[in-house]
Amino acid sequence: MADPEARRLARRIAARLLIPRPPRSPSARRGSGELRSLPYRDGGSAEIDLDRTLEQLAERPFPEPHDIVIRDRARTRRSVVLALDISGSMRGERVTTAAATMAAIASELQRDLLAVVAFWSDAAVLLELGQPVRPMALLDSVLAMPARGLTNVAFPLQVAADQLARASSLDKRVVLLSDCVHNAGPDPRLWAAGLPRLDVLLDTTGEKDVELGRDLARAGHGMLLPIGSHRDVPPAIGRIFAR
């Protein structure tokens, strides 16, 4: 069982976290996207599935609004890899905040395809892309791993590229949670440039490499967001996924 404080922190972050839903598929706007039949909801599609609705009403003499069946276009499903720094420079409160951030993001992305990679001088895939997401189990797994060793930022980007290569989603991205103090392995800028999108949440509470973080985000067509405390996480994540 993970530190109860880490779980409380994850819940506090998640309570303020609002990740925008992905847009409807561009192919749906052209009329070729997959249509789904769904119960009516406020603000939903105005296109009624007449056959299904008549079937529902025939069985209910006093129908409710949810007995009306609408046709709605399927939304794009994101493929997201979270790369979490657990190297020696991230030990203590820093890795706890990073792990809680990861768990909060994971709880919001359960409708999407998610992978989680923890890294130091090596890397470990804690969740393969497309596997069921259990945010608190992931939190426990991360905090059971001691923060140790040097920081090889290139390694998780390589692993993330392999994970995303098997995904068919239009929206593919990597979110890196790190201080970007890269001191082992090849230049990570080369791997960042090969990703569909890379956003960097840069821990600024201690030693950090802002220049590298900025270079990685620029090469990966993403954003660099500084994180000074857990309160900075929800607005930063909102900005990342709004694009």
Side-chain angles (χ1 to χ4, degrees):
M1 178 71 68
D3 183 346
E5 177 56 31
R7 287 173 171 257
R8 284 192 291 269
L9 184 58
R11 293 188 185 100
R12 284 200 294 271
I13 294 172
R16 299 178 57 215
L17 196 60
L18 181 60
I19 296 180
R21 292 183 66 193
R24 286 182 173 85
S25 168
S27 63
R29 287 194 286 270
R30 294 195 299 270
S32 59
E34 180 185 356
L35 279 167
R36 302 173 299 173
S37 293
L38 304 167
Y40 172 78
R41 62 188 185 280
D42 290 341
S45 169
E47 183 179 352
I48 297 177
D49 185 336
L50 189 57
D51 291 338
R52 293 284 301 278
T53 298
L54 291 176
E55 290 176 6
Q56 294 276 76
L57 298 183
E59 299 174 1
R60 295 170 174 80
F62 303 102
E64 299 290 337
H66 62 259
D67 292 323
I68 299 174
V69 181
I70 63 170
R71 300 280 279 170
D72 198 8
R73 297 288 181 182
R75 289 180 177 267
T76 302
R77 201 176 188 194
R78 290 174 290 222
S79 293
V80 183
V81 180
L82 301 180
L84 183 68
D85 187 347
I86 61 167
S87 63
S89 62
M90 289 287 288
R91 65 169 56 91
E93 187 175 341
R94 300 179 87 179
V95 75
T96 300
T97 300
T101 298
M102 176 273 302
I105 296 173
S107 68
E108 284 288 305
L109 296 181
Q110 295 190 63
R111 295 182 180 180
D112 296 296
L113 300 177
L114 181 67
V116 177
V117 180
F119 71 95
W120 54 105
S121 57
D122 203 344
V125 178
L126 304 183
L127 180 71
E128 295 277 352
L129 195 70
Q131 286 184 332
V133 180
R134 299 180 178 87
M136 290 303 167
L138 286 170
L139 178 66
D140 292 349
S141 296
V142 169
L143 294 183
M145 304 173 72
R148 65 196 187 280
L150 300 176
T151 309
N152 182 351
V153 179
F155 208 163
L157 302 186
Q158 295 175 47
V159 174
D162 291 340
Q163 290 285 318
L164 292 178
R166 69 187 69 169
S168 59
S169 307
L170 294 176
D171 187 342
K172 301 181 185 182
R173 58 178 71 206
V174 180
V175 179
L176 175 69
L177 293 78
S178 176
D179 58 17
C180 291
V181 181
H182 175 73
N183 49 27
D187 188 343
R189 296 171 182 86
L190 302 176
W191 287 96
L195 294 171
R197 173 166 175 154
L198 171 64
D199 295 290
V200 181
L201 296 180
L202 181 71
D203 188 306
T204 61
T205 60
E207 185 183 7
K208 58 191 175 294
D209 190 336
V210 178
E211 182 179 357
L212 177 59
R214 186 180 296 114
D215 287 349
L216 292 174
R218 185 184 299 116
H221 317 290
M223 303 173 68
L224 171 69
L225 285 305
I227 302 298
S229 78
H230 73 276
R231 295 178 182 86
D232 297 328
V233 173
I237 294 298
R239 289 185 62 191
I240 286 173
F241 283 96
R243 291 181 57 192

